[in-house]
Amino acid sequence: MSAARIRAGIRGNAPELGLAAAGGLAAVAASFAAAGDPTAFVGAAVEAVIRDTAPEPVVEFVRSDLRDLAAPTLLATAVVAATALFALFGLAGVAVDRRTDSLGAGVAVAAVLGGGASTLLGVGPLPALAAAVPTALVPVTARATGAPTTVSKRRRTLLGSVGGLLGLAGASTVLGTQRGGSIDPEPLDEAAETETLLSTADERSLDLAGTGGLVSDSFYEVDYSNFDPTVRKDDWSLTVTGEVEEEVTVDFEGLRDMSTEHRFVTLRCVSDPLNGNKMDNALWTGTPLADLVEEAGPGGGCECVRLRAADDYYQVFPLAALRNGFLAYGMNGTELPKGHGHPVRVLIPGHWGEINVKWITEIEVLDRDAEGYWEERGWHGTGPVETVAKIGSVDERDDGTVRVGGHAYAGTRGVSAVEVSTDGGDTWSEATLSPTLPGDDVWRMWAHEFAADGTHEVVVRAVESDGTVQPREETDAYPSGATGWVSRTVEAER
Ligand SMILES: Nc1nc2c(c(=O)[nH]1)N[C@H]1C(S)=C(S)[C@@H](COP(=O)(O)O)O[C@H]1N2
Ligand SMILES: [Mo]
């Protein structure tokens, strides 16, 4: 077909294309409204299909070039693809109506395609039905639009129909956001204790221009999906399954009846660039995992577990690491916010962020080793974190001195010193360190002041508690986490 014929074809069918596009969008949005949980509608399902079947070169491009734009790009692609899919089903209904001159047949075909595809995508009956209805409205509105005898009346009917479908899409989006989006983390009963600990952290923080203290003001978020699950604490439970003597299930109340602890814990994503911003610290409230795991009597041949979550995320790592783990339901004095795993997440001391599974639902003791979601994609992020000292603040004072500082983290190995060079690594001095916070997986802050004279290559490295100096070798975040000494050129004004 020539381009001109395609153009003419589109012009001839423009009303149907417009109706189908609006109907497709309304189908996706209606399914969102019906789902109640944002992970359970056709848009999230299409996103998962695109994410999990993207060819390796695309994945590589997204990882190395798009970086922080990866998530919004995936979201936009998913919305467009899902809309186009349901638009096609609407057009199929229009075509059947034209061929058979039976609106009933057209409606049935559109509805069956819409509902059937939704079901194949794995959404429940209600979101599937909700997606089928606007899809079936496409042949109905197409016929209505064709009926009037004058051009102006046809145009008015078309605009009304498209407007109606878009209105349905808008209203559904608002409803879906209200139904699935709102979780207000309530203050914890232990607020008095957390207040005290948080003010301790505040007092021990070093005052550095342009960077936060020992407890992060805003905590980074990394999710493999754009849609966070809505899990109400009354609906939540966690089951230990697999190679166990006896399955054990605990609900939120049961968890609250167990011993309560507060822990400062730092998390860093394995994808964090060397001096990146995917490393943060919070005060977490929860209960140790060991007793729960022991109660189930774990066996199996690999001494390993797979954790599963309400967003279908999964990770595999050694049972030994899990035994030191923590089930957190509080963060900085309130219940967990939705984005950080409400109502319950896992914290595994000293390991990369990715195995700190949010919205945890199941601990499966395995018989044979397996891979987690990110390991299937080439990452090695289940082990202990690499040590890093970051430069978060460079403050040039009027008197010619420069104060540099930031955060240093070495997982459970602990940071005992931070060394700073202002001459590119020839000579080193010890930085001032913030006092330690209670906990065995917490970062520290460092600061160093020097009299500036010309150009300085500031280099910083952490020393672990046993005296080990952070390795100098620089590696990229992919696949095993960024390593190396952070450096920054400081150009003194005078
Ligand atoms: N269920 C679930 N848990 C998850 C993730 C996820 O996508 N789904 N992302 C992981 C990754 S890669 C990291 S770095 C941490 C980040 O935790 P945060 O979002 O609370 O900072 O959560 C981990 N836990
Ligand atoms: Mo991560």
Side-chain angles (χ1 to χ4, degrees), residues 58-332:
V58 175
V59 174
E60 160 71 30
F61 167 75
V62 169
R63 185 177 58 228
S64 49
D65 293 297
L66 288 185
R67 290 157 177 266
D68 287 350
L69 282 177
T73 306
L74 176 62
L75 178 61
T77 311
V79 170
V80 170
T83 301
L85 183 68
F86 286 88
L88 275 180
F89 299 153
L91 286 175
V94 174
V96 168
D97 178 15
R98 292 257 166 87
R99 285 277 161 86
T100 62
D101 195 25
S102 159
L103 181 58
V107 165
V109 164
V112 167
L113 285 174
S118 303
T119 306
L120 283 180
L121 281 166
V123 309
L126 213 60
L129 183 70
V133 172
T135 314
L137 282 177
V138 174
V140 176
T141 50
R143 200 179 252 245
T145 302
T149 43
T150 67
V151 171
S152 70
K153 273 192 193 148
R154 276 206 292 276
R155 187 171 295 154
R156 229 175 303 140
T157 319
L158 174 66
L159 287 179
S161 302
V162 170
L165 288 169
L166 290 180
L168 179 61
S172 301
T173 306
V174 172
L175 182 65
T177 308
Q178 271 175 358
R179 291 193 61 208
S182 55
I183 281 187
D184 285 326
E186 289 168 27
L188 295 176
D189 295 340
E190 297 85 354
E193 292 158 51
T194 55
E195 280 294 308
T196 310
L197 284 160
L198 288 170
S199 45
T200 303
D202 204 35
E203 285 155 19
R204 295 187 185 173
S205 296
L206 303 181
D207 189 15
L208 291 175
T211 195
L214 283 169
V215 168
S216 304
D217 295 329
S218 78
F219 202 105
Y220 85 91
E221 245 180 73
V222 173
D223 302 299
Y224 87 139
S225 160
N226 278 291
F227 302 98
D228 292 349
T230 306
V231 187
R232 314 253 168 221
K233 59 187 175 205
D234 293 340
D235 301 331
W236 176 86
S237 71
L238 167 66
T239 307
V240 188
T241 65
E243 302 289 325
V244 291
E245 279 161 25
E246 190 186 12
E247 288 198 358
V248 175
T249 298
V250 65
D251 62 9
F252 195 78
E253 242 175 85
L255 205 63
R256 283 310 253 131
D257 286 343
M258 297 161 85
S259 66
T260 305
E261 277 182 28
H262 309 285
R263 294 187 183 179
F264 288 100
V265 176
T266 303
L267 288 185
R268 186 186 181 201
C269 183
V270 68
S271 75
D272 188 34
L274 189 53
N275 202 38
N277 52 20
K278 292 194 188 94
M279 175 170 95
D280 280 301
N281 183 56
L283 175 65
W284 308 87
T285 301
T287 192
L289 249 167
D291 288 354
L292 197 70
V293 176
E294 283 329 303
E295 197 186 326
C302 65
E303 288 289 305
C304 66
V305 287
R306 172 161 47 217
L307 269 47
R308 293 184 187 278
D311 59 348
D312 291 336
Y313 182 76
Y314 52 93
Q315 275 302 338
V316 178
F317 58 93
L319 186 58
L322 185 75
R323 282 202 173 95
N324 300 324
F326 193 63
L327 284 170
Y329 41 77
M331 185 180 187
N332 299 332

Side-chain angles (χ1 to χ4, degrees), residues 434-479:
S434 62
T436 53
L437 284 178
D440 53 13
D441 182 22
V442 200
W443 67 10
R444 298 178 76 170
M445 295 182 76
W446 65 273
H448 178 69
E449 211 170 294
F450 63 99
D453 178 17
T455 302
H456 291 267
E457 184 69 1
V458 177
V459 190
V460 55
R461 65 186 187 195
V463 180
E464 297 167 6
S465 301
D466 71 352
T468 306
V469 177
Q470 178 196 340
R472 175 177 204 163
E473 193 204 344
E474 267 189 48
T475 58
D476 283 340
Y478 185 81

Side-chain angles (χ1 to χ4, degrees), residues 244-441:
V244 291
E245 279 161 25
E246 190 186 12
E247 288 198 358
V248 175
T249 298
V250 65
D251 62 9
F252 195 78
E253 242 175 85
L255 205 63
R256 283 310 253 131
D257 286 343
M258 297 161 85
S259 66
T260 305
E261 277 182 28
H262 309 285
R263 294 187 183 179
F264 288 100
V265 176
T266 303
L267 288 185
R268 186 186 181 201
C269 183
V270 68
S271 75
D272 188 34
L274 189 53
N275 202 38
N277 52 20
K278 292 194 188 94
M279 175 170 95
D280 280 301
N281 183 56
L283 175 65
W284 308 87
T285 301
T287 192
L289 249 167
D291 288 354
L292 197 70
V293 176
E294 283 329 303
E295 197 186 326
C302 65
E303 288 289 305
C304 66
V305 287
R306 172 161 47 217
L307 269 47
R308 293 184 187 278
D311 59 348
D312 291 336
Y313 182 76
Y314 52 93
Q315 275 302 338
V316 178
F317 58 93
L319 186 58
L322 185 75
R323 282 202 173 95
N324 300 324
F326 193 63
L327 284 170
Y329 41 77
M331 185 180 187
N332 299 332
T334 70
E335 293 174 348
L336 285 191
K338 184 174 176 182
H340 294 293
H342 188 98
V344 183
R345 79 175 303 164
V346 164
L347 295 173
I348 306 295
H351 288 248
W352 291 112
E354 69 170 55
I355 66 169
N356 294 261
V357 173
K358 305 188 270 189
W359 312 289
I360 175 97
T361 57
E362 187 186 335
I363 296 172
E364 185 188 358
V365 181
L366 299 180
D367 192 30
R368 279 189 292 156
D369 205 5
E371 286 188 320
Y373 182 85
W374 289 115
E375 281 45 56
E376 286 169 348
R377 283 148 188 85
W379 288 92
H380 304 295
T382 63
V385 293
E386 297 285 356
T387 296
V388 68
K390 295 188 180 182
I391 301 178
S393 173
V394 177
D395 192 11
E396 292 184 41
R397 273 89 173 266
D398 291 338
D399 64 2
T401 60
V402 176
R403 189 160 183 260
V404 288
H407 296 84
Y409 177 51
T412 50
R413 297 181 298 280
V415 174
S416 62
V418 167
E419 297 173 342
V420 186
S421 169
T422 57
D423 53 15
D426 291 342
T427 59
W428 296 85
S429 16
E430 255 192 43
T432 308
L433 274 188
S434 62
T436 53
L437 284 178
D440 53 13
D441 182 22

